[in-house]
Amino acid sequence: MVMELARYLTVEAGGRLMHVSVIDRGFDGYEVVYHYALDHLEKNLHLNIKVSLPEHNPEIESVAKLSPEASWSEREMMELTPVKFINHPDPRHLWLPYEWPNPVEGVDYEFLKDRLDAPPTQKSSNQPSLMPIGPYHPLLIEGAYFRVKLKDEEITDVDVKLGWNHRGIMKLFESRSYSRGVYLAERICGICNVTHTTAYLNAVETLSGIEVPDRAKYIRTLIAELERIHSHLLWLGVAGDLIGFKTLFMLSWKVREKVLDIFEATTGSRRTPAMNVIGGVRKDLAGETIGKIERRLLDLRGEIEGLVKLGYDHPLMRRRLQDIGKLSLSNAISGGAVGPTARASGWKLDIRWSSPYLAYADGYTTWDLITEDGGDVWARTMVRLKEMLVSIDIAKQCLQALKKVGGPIKIEAVDPKNFPYNEALGKTEAPRGELMYYIVSDGTNIPYSVRIRTPSFRNNSLLPKMLKGYALADAPIIIGSIDPCYSCTDRIIVIKDSENPKGRGA
Amino acid sequence: MNLIELIIQATLLTSASFIFGTIYNYEIRKISARLQSRRGPWLLVPKPLRKSLGTTRILQPLYDIIKLLCKETIIPPTARRRLFISAPLFALLCLVASSTIIPIGEYSALSSFDLSLVALLYLLLAVPFTLILGGSVSSSPWGIFGGQREADLMLAYETPIVIGSFTTAIMAGSMSIKEIQVAQTLSLPYLVLNPFAAAAVLLGIIGKLHLKPFDIPEAEVEIVAGPATEYSGKLLGLMEINKMLLTSVCIGLFINLFMAGGAVPGVTLNNSLTVLTYLAEGLIIVAVASLIHTLNPRFRIDQALDWYIKTAALLAAVGLCWAYILRHIYPAISG
Amino acid sequence: MLQNIKKKARAYSPWIFHAHAGGCNNCDIELAACFAPRYDLERMGIQLRNNPRHADILIVTGPVTKQISSSLRRIYDQVPNPKVVVACGSCALTGGVYNRDDGKPNYALAGPPEKLIPIDISVPGCPPKPESIIDGVMLALEILRKK
Amino acid sequence: MKTGLARLAKELLRNSLRPVTANYPAIPEHARPHEPGEEIRGRHRFDVEKCVGCGACQTVCSSGAISVTDSGIERVLRIDLSTCIFCGRCRDICPEEGLQLTPEVPSAQPYGDILKTFKVEHSVDLSSCVGCGRPTYPKKQIETVRMRIISNLDKVNVDSARRDMDIYLKYCLNCRRSLSYIFGTHPRKLY
């Protein structure tokens, strides 16, 4: 039955399957929730299909053949909860460490065989046919593992193993009250922590029916846009480093320091603003700080236009980035790409536009959507560069509005008391793409379960498709072009040990 | 020039070219840092830190080398031990020999022999070989890849250097570096007479010194450190010494062949001031090279190959024809 | 005389290797900011190398997750002596925000780095400001000089 | 195509004239932004008069860095800066503004002396119970609670509240239970 519904939703209605999450209901078994986004039909329209399964050996038909983007979500759920997705195309282990105490039976751990500390073996001629880009590699700031199969320096197949950053964050969420959870949501990813708190608070505030005052909406949007500029500048520097362009790293990080100065002057800390609290914002922006920010935004715009011009006409950069790591529009839609990676393939997908939140709605700010149609690393670079200029416009409009709009910046509720609804979906447009929080509440002030689907989780599943057929020398910049953030990807769900089916896990 | 005097002059030349190498490397780091609007290794350490951090950092490459020589060396068990150790040593021998051939200003130990240019180019070819050998023997996939890339790149950057050097030999009419140097002082320096060959050799030298856009074998992002991945401690110190010597020898080759070995019009060849003008000219060339180093990202190996063939090799060929035209139409110049 | 040249050389050219052990990459970008133009560490001859074989100072960030603990241990063994280990960020000191409130160990973490490798210097802050990281590296220079 | 390189070269040469590197270890203030925000979240500082030692910051701390231990006649509030994530929540929640975050950045320390330098401590003396002598609540906290109750109550039952508080606030929990038996005010009079 689920298959027909899924086929109807994706094929006829053209919806997007965002995530498959499993809620463990203890005695009455498991709930498999399919999150569909239909926000292209009407703004903010989402659909959750719930399927409840019995407690002992729960099984369900896998949707991955129909919509391949669900394969990673289902793999994650299959690996971490006893739910089995029947004839899933690739049911291998993805997140858990190798020597996890009780590996889920019936799955062949191909990775367990060639363990990392085995000496590198070259089977055929001295040309290494199997190249491990291992957990520690200069290309990745964080841990990830790509097993690249090569045929004389051309990539034929890539296999991804993640989970090196898995800190069991969702288990921690389930032991913290909502107001304390904000500071945990902020530490899932160091680069995009404002969007994480915004998404978490979108979900919590819809859950508890709190309406954020207008002034707080503008301040939150301002901080979110400043963070998008900082994140794109950081990516530009790292991408420059990946193609050996040390100067671009230095130039873009010199400009980034200006954005961090704005953060430090207004919110008190360079990289963790901690501005968002439940019901609004922690600190108000006084009159002259708004003037200060406006002056700084002016020369920031000049610097970023310089970087955009540099990106455009540097001959070698264009030659190194053009037509590699191609992702066609059909692959992007079927693979479920999100954020700049999708927009670079010509797909008009932006959460700020399709389901607006905070001050992105029509009444508050007006801005336009940037898309390119090249689909290669060069197009992604251009999308991110132009998006920075759009972000500066939005930040300017927020500052103008802040001068006019008065009113409180926070509703006094430290911890929400009553919960009119028992589940909520909070979504934002993180610098890397669509970020989704799904919070289920059981009436107490501690969430029953929190499911997070981050943009890098989805973009990483597209990497094997992008890397095939290109030279190993291009692998770093192709992997870098989706702006992978493995801290986001490995936030992962709680484990429910099979010995005590009753409790909600260790 | 009897034997003892020759030996003294040779050791003086080697140590001088090593010191020049460290100065050139410091200059590359300092200029590329300054161009990226950061300060780079201090010329003069600020006063409060002078006690703990020393007074100046001009000899920063020297500190790196001494530190590496005092560190523990780890040789991977799966690597072939003897070849792994002998590769940098062999490179050091070749470089010391080639540094004695390069004349600095008026001191020229072995460069006055007849075929010294051929000997020099032959010795300089040995350095990439040891890198390839060291990389592929070190049993790490990155080393093997680094070795292969060094092999591909070597073919690319050796051709312009060799053709450009022989162009100057044709214009000067002799194969010994000393005669080429003297011939230039009589007529104009060959940088002015035959700029094509000069450009070709300079581009070849940038590839040989692994400056961007040609630092493909040491692309730290793709293949951790290329051939030098498994080297550490004393062997890595040896490789750094080789890098210093290689820098000063290559820059010295360019000065002697194209800028009359530091003989500026005011200063004739046979007084000791030429060492200072030699250093000044070297600093200018290194400044140009580090500007190119800062401006460019890294080529992919196939892009680098076809770039070299399209521009550098073409320039060298044009320089060669231009040398023939000069030799037959204006024989007076060749003297 | 030779001894103090060796000590000076060690303190004047420390090479840093950064080992990410599972945190939220905020400390990593602050460490990378130390090499950006504003807090340029190359003034003191410090280079960020990405090969443990070439490194003197090992900077560890993040609470060590179970999966990366074996790799962190191998990275520590690959750095040749004399070496200094700097734990950077409150996650690397005591696990910071990822500790459970009821004192039970977090199932995904193999404890802060001090359980796996000996730590010489600790840099507090979440993320520590580049000034704190530079102070940490300065202290590391002193320890390198004595080792 | 060459214009890109030429423009970049010109810009880089202009950069080289004014490096933006802060001369940090030599001149410490050089690294701060020109006008630092007044509320940079750095090392904590207890305001000795205002802090009553109520322990609200401990319940709210999002990384469990604050520990409140009652030892004998004094209650010690200890903040462990190596666990603290500097989120500023304890300062926002404190009812008496007794805890401030100074802009001073806690700098690196050798591992050995992690105990002494990464600790911010403040001790408040506890009042001992009149009945059995065991320590009860901090003196200052009892004072502020009394003042706050008196100021907020309406006029009618202010003096009866003051009479009760004079008695009950001086006793610890067990003594209060036994007193309520004597006075017969214990709610569950069944047994």
Side-chain angles (χ1 to χ4, degrees):
Chain A
M1 214 286 288
V2 175
M3 289 300 285
E4 291 76 28
L5 207 58
R7 182 171 300 111
Y8 168 74
L9 276 173
T10 42
V11 174
E12 277 86 17
R16 282 183 298 113
L17 173 63
M18 289 193 299
H19 191 48
V20 178
S21 39
V22 173
I23 311 295
D24 160 25
R25 288 294 182 191
F27 275 116
D28 35 25
Y30 299 91
E31 238 173 44
V32 181
V33 188
Y34 295 87
H35 305 281
Y36 276 93
L38 306 163
D39 45 16
H40 59 289
L41 303 176
E42 185 210 301
K43 294 223 185 299
N44 268 324
L45 177 64
H46 294 93
L47 178 67
N48 289 352
I49 303 173
K50 285 195 183 165
V51 178
S52 60
L53 299 173
E55 196 184 341
H56 300 294
N57 55 53
E59 268 141 8
I60 189 164
E61 185 61 36
S62 152
V63 209
K65 260 192 293 307
L66 180 75
S67 51
E69 67 254 28
S71 74
W72 268 34
S73 311
E74 285 176 349
R75 257 173 102 176
E76 173 195 1
M77 290 305 146
M78 196 166 16
E79 189 183 336
L80 296 167
T81 56
V83 174
K84 280 198 191 25
F85 290 87
I86 309 162
N87 51 50
H88 184 281
D90 175 8
R92 269 177 319 139
H93 219 136
L94 190 57
W95 307 97
L96 283 179
Y98 303 143
E99 55 284 348
W100 187 254
N102 44 13
V104 185
E105 312 80 16
V107 174
D108 67 330
Y109 295 117
E110 188 194 340
F111 278 91
L112 287 182
K113 281 192 288 301
D114 59 352
R115 287 199 41 88
L116 261 174
D117 41 35
T121 53
Q122 278 82 41
K123 301 181 194 57
S124 64
S125 68
N126 62 0
Q127 163 66 14
S129 69
L130 178 84
M131 180 63 78
I133 301 187
Y136 280 110
H137 189 274
L139 136 77
L140 319 151
I141 298 181
E142 299 140 317
Y145 181 72
F146 298 92
R147 248 161 36 107
V148 180
K149 289 195 178 62
L150 290 169
K151 195 168 66 52
D152 56 50
E153 195 146 341
E154 201 204 313
I155 299 171
T156 53
D157 181 19
V158 175
D159 215 347
V160 184
K161 168 89 174 74
L162 297 170
W164 304 90
N165 249 333
H166 166 46
R167 298 150 281 178
I169 281 191
M170 289 195 219
K171 179 65 189 171
L172 294 172
F173 265 119
E174 285 162 11
S175 60
R176 295 200 172 177
S177 69
Y178 286 107
S179 54
R180 265 185 83 192
V182 174
Y183 294 92
L184 183 60
E186 201 174 23
R187 275 157 185 81
I188 290 177
C189 163
I191 304 174
C192 48
N193 47 29
V194 174
T195 33
H196 270 281
T197 44
T198 322
Y200 176 76
L201 287 175
N202 280 353
V204 168
E205 272 144 14
T206 44
L207 203 62
S208 47
I210 294 179
E211 182 53 33
V212 180
D214 271 2
R215 191 166 173 81
K217 278 188 181 167
Y218 280 116
I219 294 178
R220 275 194 190 169
T221 318
L222 173 71
I223 302 279
E225 284 312 312
L226 281 177
E227 190 198 46
R228 193 185 312 279
I229 297 170
H230 134 78
S231 169
H232 284 330
L233 282 174
L234 181 134
W235 172 82
L236 189 64
V238 170
D241 205 25
L242 290 179
I243 54 173
F245 201 5
K246 210 82 172 133
T247 317
L248 186 61
F249 173 81
M250 295 301 173
L251 290 182
S252 59
W253 280 55
K254 180 178 81 166
V255 178
R256 178 176 163 260
E257 287 292 328
K258 289 194 164 64
V259 183
L260 295 183
D261 280 353
I262 298 178
F263 269 123
E264 187 152 32
T266 48
T267 65
S269 147
R270 271 165 66 98
R271 231 356 352 269
T272 46
M275 280 294 271
N276 299 343
V277 283
I278 291 184
V281 182
R282 174 172 57 84
K283 180 171 173 293
D284 198 351
L285 294 186
E288 91 279 351
T289 42
I290 293 179
K292 256 189 281 181
I293 299 179
E294 258 173 354
R295 276 199 306 282
R296 285 197 179 146
L297 275 185
L298 266 180
D299 69 10
L300 193 65
R301 187 180 181 86
E303 303 263 353
I304 290 180
E305 265 152 15
L307 283 177
V308 173
K309 250 202 255 53
L310 162 71
Y312 250 100
D313 21 316
H314 196 289
L316 264 90
M317 207 162 125
R318 185 182 280 257
R319 188 188 298 192
R320 258 316 288 272
L321 296 180
Q322 222 147 19
D323 55 51
I324 54 168
K326 270 193 137 41
L327 185 72
S328 66
L329 181 57
S330 60
N331 276 345
I333 293 178
S334 74
V338 281
T341 320
R343 289 196 285 275
S345 311
W347 187 8
K348 290 176 87 67
L349 173 70
D350 189 331
I351 306 310
R352 297 175 290 180
W353 180 69
S354 60
S355 46
Y357 54 97
L358 289 180
Y360 295 110
D362 319 341
Y364 296 85
T365 51
T366 57
W367 47 279
D368 46 12
L369 190 62
I370 305 275
T371 57
E372 294 264 341
D373 40 22
D376 55 2
V377 176
W378 173 255
R380 284 173 216 135
T381 319
M382 281 308 119
V383 163
R384 287 198 176 95
L385 285 178
K386 286 188 209 142
E387 254 180 19
M388 279 197 274
L389 299 176
V390 170
S391 298
I392 289 187
D393 296 345
I394 299 178
K396 272 212 181 71
Q397 288 171 30
C398 286
L399 284 170
Q400 305 304 346
L402 273 177
K403 286 182 187 151
K404 292 192 289 300
V405 172
I409 57 165
K410 188 166 70 160
I411 294 176
E412 266 330 302
V414 172
D415 248 314
K417 297 291 178 294
N418 47 23
F419 295 92
Y421 313 99
N422 63 6
E423 61 173 27
L425 201 66
K427 267 182 31 171
T428 60
E429 175 66 24
R432 286 159 191 74
E434 173 200 31
L435 170 66
M436 182 202 95
Y437 270 72
Y438 172 62
I439 298 184
V440 176
S441 118
D442 53 3
T444 67
N445 76 341
I446 292 181
Y448 182 80
S449 75
V450 176
R451 294 296 171 263
I452 305 172
R453 203 289 330 256
T454 53
S456 304
F457 173 88
R458 185 54 65 79
N459 287 337
N460 272 314
S461 62
L462 293 163
L463 268 183
K465 224 176 288 183
M466 285 193 220
L467 279 167
K468 280 203 182 61
Y470 293 101
L472 179 67
D474 289 332
I477 187 60
I478 295 173
I479 294 175
S481 72
I482 60 162
D483 199 351
C485 168
Y486 295 105
S487 320
C488 293
T489 325
D490 299 343
R491 69 279 165 260
I492 307 303
I493 177 176
V494 65
I495 309 285
K496 199 173 104 30
D497 301 342
S498 48
E499 295 94 8
N500 57 356
K502 290 181 301 312
R504 278 194 292 113
Chain B
M1 244 216 242
N2 54 29
L3 196 59
I4 299 126
E5 201 185 89
L6 202 67
I7 291 169
I8 295 161
Q9 219 171 37
T11 44
L12 272 179
L13 267 184
T14 315
S15 47
S17 73
F18 176 70
I19 302 293
F20 284 1
T22 47
I23 293 172
Y24 291 150
N25 267 296
Y26 174 78
E27 190 196 353
I28 289 178
R29 281 173 70 172
K30 183 73 178 174
I31 285 189
S32 67
R34 261 306 168 95
L35 288 178
Q36 294 162 355
S37 74
R38 55 191 173 94
R39 209 166 277 290
W42 275 313
L43 259 177
L44 199 61
V45 180
K47 207 169 296 308
L49 298 170
R50 212 155 272 174
K51 198 173 63 53
S52 65
L53 291 178
T55 51
T56 167
R57 282 303 170 90
I58 286 187
L59 297 178
Q60 183 61 40
L62 208 57
Y63 295 137
D64 293 348
I65 290 171
I66 296 171
K67 175 208 75 176
L68 282 174
L69 293 180
C70 317
K71 265 181 94 79
E72 166 212 1
T73 316
I74 301 175
I75 296 178
T78 52
R80 285 198 205 84
R81 204 176 162 70
R82 275 198 309 281
L83 278 178
F84 188 77
I85 294 170
S86 62
L89 279 176
F90 180 64
L92 184 66
L93 291 185
C94 296
L95 280 168
V96 165
S98 61
S99 67
T100 56
I101 293 175
I102 287 283
I104 296 183
E106 49 123 20
Y107 304 101
S108 60
L110 295 169
S111 67
S112 51
F113 287 98
D114 204 358
L115 290 171
S116 57
L117 182 62
V118 173
L120 179 68
L121 290 179
Y122 183 75
L123 283 171
L124 280 183
L125 266 178
V127 174
F129 279 138
T130 52
L131 274 180
I132 300 164
L133 183 70
S136 44
V137 140
S138 70
S139 85
S140 95
W142 311 119
I144 291 164
F145 258 105
Q148 264 161 26
R149 292 206 176 156
E150 176 67 26
D152 300 347
L153 200 62
M154 191 183 80
L155 300 180
Y157 63 66
E158 283 303 335
T159 39
I161 294 178
V162 169
I163 296 175
S165 324
F166 284 129
T167 326
T168 55
I170 292 164
M171 288 166 75
S174 102
M175 276 291 191
S176 121
I177 298 178
K178 196 63 190 165
E179 267 81 17
I180 297 174
Q181 206 182 15
V182 166
Q184 281 178 36
T185 49
L186 302 180
S187 69
L188 287 167
Y190 289 150
L191 181 64
V192 173
L193 275 180
N194 187 347
F196 311 107
V201 170
L202 185 63
L203 294 175
I205 285 174
I206 288 177
K208 197 175 186 62
L209 298 180
H210 291 167
L211 292 176
K212 288 202 176 54
F214 303 109
D215 70 342
I216 302 150
E218 286 155 11
E220 71 274 2
V221 178
E222 294 139 20
I223 37 176
V224 180
T229 317
E230 293 301 334
Y231 282 90
S232 69
K234 295 177 182 50
L235 293 175
L236 190 58
L238 265 181
M239 279 183 129
E240 288 291 319
I241 294 174
N242 295 349
K243 216 168 84 165
M244 302 300 152
L245 282 172
L246 184 66
T247 321
S248 89
V249 164
C250 286
I251 300 289
L253 177 75
F254 186 84
I255 294 174
N256 284 320
L257 294 185
F258 291 99
M259 297 158 91
V264 181
V267 176
T268 63
L269 250 185
N270 46 28
N271 67 20
S272 65
L273 258 185
T274 51
V275 176
L276 292 183
T277 51
Y278 176 91
L279 183 60
E281 276 162 9
L283 292 178
I284 294 164
I285 298 167
V286 166
V288 169
S290 51
L291 181 69
I292 297 172
H293 171 72
T294 322
L295 268 177
N296 290 312
R298 182 184 307 128
F299 267 129
R300 247 200 338 251
I301 188 70
D302 48 340
Q303 289 170 345
L305 293 186
D306 76 40
W307 185 88
Y308 257 114
I309 293 161
K310 283 207 182 63
T311 40
L314 204 65
L315 267 173
V318 165
L320 200 61
C321 313
W322 180 248
Y324 268 110
I325 297 164
L326 276 183
R327 192 153 171 71
H328 293 299
I329 297 163
Y330 303 101
I333 288 177
S334 67
Chain C
M1 222 294 271
L2 196 64
Q3 209 54 19
N4 97 31
I5 286 180
K6 187 164 87 165
K7 283 195 173 14
K8 252 165 77 161
R10 279 201 185 136
Y12 285 4
S13 92
W15 289 354
I16 290 181
F17 177 77
H18 162 234
H20 173 90
C24 74
N25 79 24
N26 224 334
C27 303
D28 316 327
I29 46 180
E30 289 295 82
L31 180 65
C34 288
F35 292 92
R38 185 166 173 185
Y39 299 98
D40 181 23
L41 269 181
E42 220 201 326
R43 293 170 290 162
M44 302 135 198
I46 296 171
Q47 282 180 357
L48 185 65
R49 307 291 284 210
N50 37 47
N51 183 350
R53 286 259 191 283
H54 300 180
D56 300 320
I57 301 178
L58 178 69
I59 296 193
V60 182
T61 58
V64 189
T65 60
K66 275 214 172 86
Q67 203 160 336
I68 215 160
S69 52
S70 62
S71 309
L72 183 69
R73 182 69 217 175
R74 276 178 46 240
I75 287 285
Y76 176 75
D77 300 340
Q78 277 176 3
V79 178
N81 282 327
K83 57 191 166 197
V84 174
V85 180
V86 177
C88 173
S90 55
C91 288
L93 299 183
T94 54
V97 79
Y98 302 116
N99 292 336
R100 287 166 57 95
D101 319 332
D102 48 21
K104 280 195 276 180
N106 185 337
Y107 74 90
L109 298 182
E114 62 203 5
K115 284 193 186 138
L116 289 158
I117 48 180
I119 304 272
D120 296 324
I121 290 173
S122 45
V123 180
C126 177
K129 292 203 178 332
E131 292 93 331
S132 318
I133 299 177
I134 292 176
D135 292 346
V137 173
M138 288 295 137
L139 285 176
L141 299 191
E142 296 316 315
I143 293 179
L144 266 179
R145 197 190 285 267
K146 285 197 251 336
K147 268 219 168 134
Chain D
M1 153 151 139
K2 280 287 164 286
T3 58
L5 282 184
R7 178 183 303 116
L8 178 63
K10 200 156 22 65
E11 191 193 332
L12 291 187
L13 289 174
R14 225 180 316 112
N15 283 349
S16 66
L17 302 179
R18 20 175 185 68
V20 294
T21 313
N23 198 352
Y24 170 65
I27 312 162
E29 316 75 30
H30 206 244
R32 290 254 63 69
H34 344 78
E35 69 278 11
E38 70 297 338
E39 95 20 7
I40 288 178
R41 300 197 294 275
R43 179 182 283 267
H44 302 255
R45 185 171 49 79
F46 280 96
D47 186 333
V48 182
E49 296 83 24
K50 286 191 185 144
C51 170
V52 295
C54 57
C57 44
Q58 184 208 359
T59 53
V60 141
C61 176
S62 36
S63 71
I66 302 177
S67 61
V68 175
T69 46
D70 293 357
S71 60
I73 51 116
E74 67 175 5
R75 165 176 288 191
V76 178
L77 292 109
R78 179 172 300 112
I79 297 182
D80 173 8
L81 289 183
S82 58
T83 320
C84 169
I85 56 172
F86 300 98
C87 57
R89 199 147 177 261
C90 46
R91 172 201 53 199
D92 304 342
I93 294 289
C94 179
E96 317 288 333
E97 279 93 28
L99 180 62
Q100 295 304 333
L101 290 179
T102 60
E104 183 234 339
V105 167
S107 77
Q109 299 299 338
Y111 181 67
D113 26 353
I114 193 170
L115 298 175
K116 79 173 144 23
T117 50
F118 282 171
K119 290 285 184 288
V120 176
E121 280 182 3
H122 172 64
S123 61
V124 178
D125 36 25
L126 296 168
S127 74
S128 59
C129 157
V130 171
C132 58
R134 254 187 255 105
T136 54
Y137 300 103
K139 289 195 177 68
K140 282 209 208 100
Q141 185 177 3
I142 297 173
E143 250 336 286
T144 43
V145 162
R146 178 197 296 275
M147 299 317 290
R148 196 155 290 164
I149 289 178
I150 290 166
S151 60
N152 292 352
L153 269 181
D154 46 16
K155 287 292 159 289
V156 169
N157 39 33
V158 160
D159 43 16
S160 73
R162 182 178 289 120
R163 219 175 42 260
D164 284 353
M165 275 195 290
D166 289 348
I167 300 166
Y168 275 107
L169 284 185
K170 282 207 276 299
Y171 289 88
C172 64
L173 280 180
N174 314 9
C175 300
R176 278 186 207 159
R177 191 176 303 112
S178 54
L179 270 178
S180 63
Y181 293 146
I182 300 161
F183 292 154
T185 57
H186 198 282
R188 285 196 298 281
K189 279 181 62 56
L190 306 172
Y191 49 89

